[in-house]
């Protein structure tokens, strides 16, 4: 198996209390890089409970976005979920689409063509 290791990066020593969790060393190294460095933090990160998640309403203008979506649903307006073609973009589109599907009969989605439109919002996507 091919393993790529960045230059000048030594293998990190994993503390015994974390090694005893039975997780792969590379995963533990990545967690440590993110300051997730105790068994409790690792448990919360890998198996979050609802109360451990960030409140999405803290995002800028999220209240406005929710109001627009609710209004569109109430007025039976068309809703198009626009996303990117990368992994997190298509996953986000799928999640939002699946969540909204029971509330809207005029729901659609749009993922731009990577080669034809490039990354982000395009005129073709807006026209769609």
């Amino acid at each position: 198996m091919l393993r790529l290791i960045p230059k000048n990066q030594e293998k990190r020593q994993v503390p015994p209390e974390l090694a005893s969790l039975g997780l792969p060393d590379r995963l533990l190294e990545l967690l440590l890089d993110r300051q997730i460095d105790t068994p409790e933090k690792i448990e919360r990160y890998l198996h979050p409970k609802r109360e451990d998640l960030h409140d999405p309403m803290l995002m800028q203008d999220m209240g406005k976005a929710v109001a627009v979506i609710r209004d569109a649903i109430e007025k039976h307006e068309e809703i198009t979920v626009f996303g990117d073609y990368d992994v997190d973009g298509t996953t986000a589109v799928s999640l939002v689409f699946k969540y909204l599907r029971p509330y809207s009969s005029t729901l659609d989605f749009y993922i731009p063509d990577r080669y034809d439109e490039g990354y982000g919002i395009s005129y073709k996507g807006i026209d769609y």
Side-chain angles (χ1 to χ4, degrees):
M1 170 159 72
L2 176 65
R3 280 193 69 199
L4 300 176
I5 300 173
K7 276 186 177 178
N8 303 325
Q9 181 177 338
E10 296 179 22
K11 188 167 170 71
R12 180 186 289 235
Q13 191 68 350
V14 175
E17 68 272 12
L18 300 183
S20 67
L21 297 174
L23 297 172
D25 285 348
R26 185 63 185 131
L27 174 58
L28 289 171
E29 291 169 16
L30 290 169
L31 292 169
L32 289 170
D33 287 345
R34 290 165 175 76
Q35 284 76 49
I36 303 169
D37 53 7
T38 66
E40 296 78 22
K41 288 180 182 178
I42 290 172
E43 175 63 24
R44 269 198 319 272
Y45 184 82
L46 295 178
H47 306 284
K49 294 181 175 67
R50 187 178 201 113
E51 59 268 14
D52 295 330
L53 301 176
H54 294 284
D55 181 355
M57 295 308 290
L58 296 175
M59 291 178 66
Q60 183 177 346
D61 293 331
M62 181 60 85
K64 292 178 185 178
V66 169
V68 167
I69 294 169
R70 282 186 175 160
D71 189 51
I73 290 170
E74 287 173 11
K75 294 178 179 177
H76 304 284
E77 295 176 339
E78 292 181 21
I79 298 172
T80 301
V81 181
F82 188 98
D84 291 319
Y85 50 78
D86 54 15
V87 172
D88 59 327
T90 55
T91 301
V93 167
S94 175
L95 288 170
V96 172
F97 188 90
K98 187 174 182 178
Y99 178 80
L100 291 176
R101 187 177 232 164
Y103 305 105
S104 175
S105 61
T106 58
L107 187 62
D108 199 0
F109 68 92
Y110 186 83
I111 297 174
D113 180 273
R114 164 184 218 145
Y115 301 105
D116 189 36
E117 297 173 69
Y119 188 81
I121 296 177
S122 67
Y123 288 111
K124 187 175 179 181
I126 292 169
D127 290 344
Y128 179 84

